[in-house]
């Protein structure tokens, strides 16, 4: 009995939960992407000793 009620409940609110979860995942992925890019930029500056990479000179 309780499983049928749970399925109906989840089905009813499913889109809202999926959208909210996607928003959270996208926010986390954006933060991770920015952090990775920043670390890569800093690593590149440390390795070459100057800001512009080799292919931009």
């Amino acid at each position: 009995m309780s499983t049928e009620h749970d399925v109906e409940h989840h089905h009813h609110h499913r889109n809202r939960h999926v959208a909210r979860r996607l928003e959270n995942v996208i926010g986390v992925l954006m933060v991770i992407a920015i952090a990775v890019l920043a670390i890569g930029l800093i690593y590149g500056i440390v390795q070459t000793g100057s800001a512009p990479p080799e292919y931009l000179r």
Side-chain angles (χ1 to χ4, degrees), residues 37-54 57:
L37 287 172
I39 292 169
L41 183 66
I42 292 168
Y43 179 76
I45 291 170
V46 168
Q47 287 296 105
T48 59
S50 60
E54 285 287 330
R57 276 187 236 153

Side-chain angles (χ1 to χ4, degrees), residues 17-28:
H17 284 302
V18 170
R20 206 170 279 164
R21 191 172 296 162
L22 270 179
E23 285 179 6
N24 290 341
V25 169
I26 288 170
V28 170

